[in-house]
Amino acid sequence: MNILIINCGSSSVKYQLFCMRKMSVLARGIAEKIGCRDSYISYQKANASIRVKVYFKDYFTAISKIVDLLVHPQKGALKSKTEINAIGHRVVHGAEEFKSSLVINKYALERIKYYGRLAPLHNPPAYNGIRAALKIFPRIKQVAVFDTAFHQTMPEEAFMYGLPYAFYKKYGIRRYGFHGTSHRYVAQQAAKILRRPLNKLKLISCHLGNGCSIAAIKFGRSIDTSMGFTPLEGLLMGTRCGDIDPALVGYIMEKGQYSIEDVNAIMNRKSGLLGLSGISNDMRDLLAQRRKGNKKAKLAIDVFIYRVIKYIGAYLAALNGADAIILTAGIGENVALIRQRIKKRLGNILGRNFKMLVIPTDEERLIALDTFKLVKRRK
Ligand code: AMP
């Protein structure tokens, strides 16, 4: 069985084609700059890598072109479209309704659109991508895998904000958490590496990429995570500020004569590593500058790591100890300085049996596995 994974962003479509029998990736790539004159698709197969400059005005055209490449007579990974047996879609927000992955029907599609009010930047592209894929592949099963689903096991004490209770009922204001597919995947991998059942393990998973979040995972279930109502809460990230005093929103607006849109843009796109360093949101650039003695690069890295350590400390308390800390995503997988600092700062309280695991994340693989399970079950 071959499964196509589609991950729609605000102006891009990432894709991966899996052969489930071998659990191998047959092809992957990205369609970038949807709606722009200079839009293009990159396509990689074992022995072929091409980049096609092609105009696509919307998700439907982008996904159609991706499928054309997958079945390209010379470079394609497949002979025909009919060799794609199912599609898995990454969807960011499933709110409280979607606690696990599901086969998409009309109702689910409408609800994904509806929850665009909670994730205005993320759910509309997924909705458009699913509609396009349903048009192109009307006969095969398509599955939605939600970033929020894994964190639906959080207890009330972890997901409620200290705001008037009515806001929760009226507007759905609560902590949802994100990166759920990544945390779930690396937790499963950790259990394999430790050769212990996941339902006997207490894990702290640190997804440190351009976006960053930490999850406390007790016996396979997320009991707390650092992102909240939106991905802005928690750790310092590439361009997001993470936790701040909420009173600062009004203060900054007043001091700088900013609109609410300005403040949103500042906190989401101009803060974090980029904002503090004034150099870059890319950890590689900051590490290079730090080596040259740049003080702001050093400061940004120190704040980044300190906050990771602070959250790990909090989750050690929430879990009452942990068997392992997992580091994943671009920064988590590559920056030794973080491992060293965690060990140095937390070494004494982590205990002797404790492990630190670096595990490459692979959200697409988990989406493929979820899709495979659901499609098989319904046959
Ligand atoms: P991701 O969102 O998972 O792609 O991660 C992106 C972040 O990982 C960026 O800040 C990159 O600078 C960082 N990153 C990727 N590779 C490395 C590396 N070899 N060393 C340090 N940072 C890296």
Side-chain angles (χ1 to χ4, degrees), residues 209-210 281-284 287 329-331 334-335:
N210 199 29
N281 64 323
D282 192 304
M283 186 55 99
R284 281 166 292 205
L287 288 166
I331 297 174
N334 293 296
V335 183

Side-chain angles (χ1 to χ4, degrees), residues 54-252:
V54 50
Y55 176 65
F56 31 85
K57 63 176 189 318
D58 54 20
Y59 291 88
F60 178 79
T61 350
I63 296 172
S64 303
K65 303 269 183 205
I66 289 170
V67 175
D68 289 349
L69 281 173
L70 291 173
V71 300
H72 188 279
Q74 282 88 42
K75 303 215 162 86
L78 303 172
K79 287 202 180 67
S80 111
K81 205 176 121 174
T82 55
E83 289 175 48
I84 296 173
N85 308 103
I87 298 182
H89 294 269
R90 177 190 178 213
V91 182
V92 167
H93 221 302
E96 289 186 333
E97 184 170 359
F98 298 123
K99 298 183 194 308
S100 53
S101 307
L102 53 84
V103 175
I104 299 167
N105 56 21
K106 243 188 192 166
Y107 171 79
L109 183 61
E110 280 315 300
R111 298 303 280 175
I112 288 167
K113 183 180 178 192
Y114 175 78
Y115 292 127
R117 62 197 61 197
L118 295 175
L121 298 178
H122 295 106
N123 272 33
Y127 170 78
N128 289 328
I130 294 169
R131 274 191 37 171
L134 286 169
K135 236 193 231 172
I136 300 165
F137 293 94
R139 274 183 247 292
I140 60 175
K141 298 252 157 53
Q142 308 208 18
V143 165
V145 178
F146 301 92
D147 271 21
T148 49
F150 182 56
H151 301 301
Q152 277 299 304
T153 46
M154 278 196 284
E156 258 181 339
E157 64 185 27
F159 75 66
M160 285 302 290
Y161 287 115
L163 290 165
Y165 191 83
F167 287 10
Y168 168 53
K169 286 286 158 207
K170 251 195 199 158
Y171 309 125
I173 294 178
R174 51 157 284 176
R175 310 184 60 253
Y176 290 100
F178 300 88
H179 287 150
T181 314
S182 174
H183 290 302
R184 182 158 63 101
Y185 177 78
V186 294
Q188 287 175 4
Q189 294 305 107
K192 280 187 197 158
I193 294 166
L194 298 170
R195 296 181 185 201
R196 289 176 58 191
L198 186 56
N199 63 11
K200 296 250 160 56
L201 286 172
K202 291 191 285 188
L203 302 166
I204 296 173
S205 157
C206 310
H207 178 113
L208 310 176
N210 199 29
C212 301
S213 73
I214 303 199
I217 303 168
K218 188 175 184 181
F219 309 144
R221 293 155 69 88
S222 169
I223 62 155
D224 203 352
T225 190
S226 57
M227 284 178 168
F229 180 69
T230 73
L232 191 54
E233 191 179 338
L235 299 172
L236 193 82
M237 310 184 205
T239 59
R240 296 188 191 120
C241 58
D243 293 336
I244 55 160
D245 183 337
L248 280 172
V249 175
Y251 191 78
I252 293 170

Side-chain angles (χ1 to χ4, degrees), residues 252-276:
I252 293 170
M253 284 175 75
E254 202 182 327
K255 282 280 161 194
Q257 297 293 302
Y258 291 113
S259 67
I260 190 70
E261 289 79 20
D262 294 337
V263 177
N264 256 324
I266 291 167
M267 289 180 176
N268 276 292
R269 299 206 298 270
K270 296 183 182 163
S271 299
L273 292 174
L274 172 67
L276 267 179

Side-chain angles (χ1 to χ4, degrees), residues 33-46:
K33 301 198 174 182
I34 293 177
C36 298
R37 281 280 143 210
D38 54 348
S39 55
Y40 66 89
I41 300 182
S42 74
Y43 169 87
Q44 275 176 298
K45 207 185 89 167

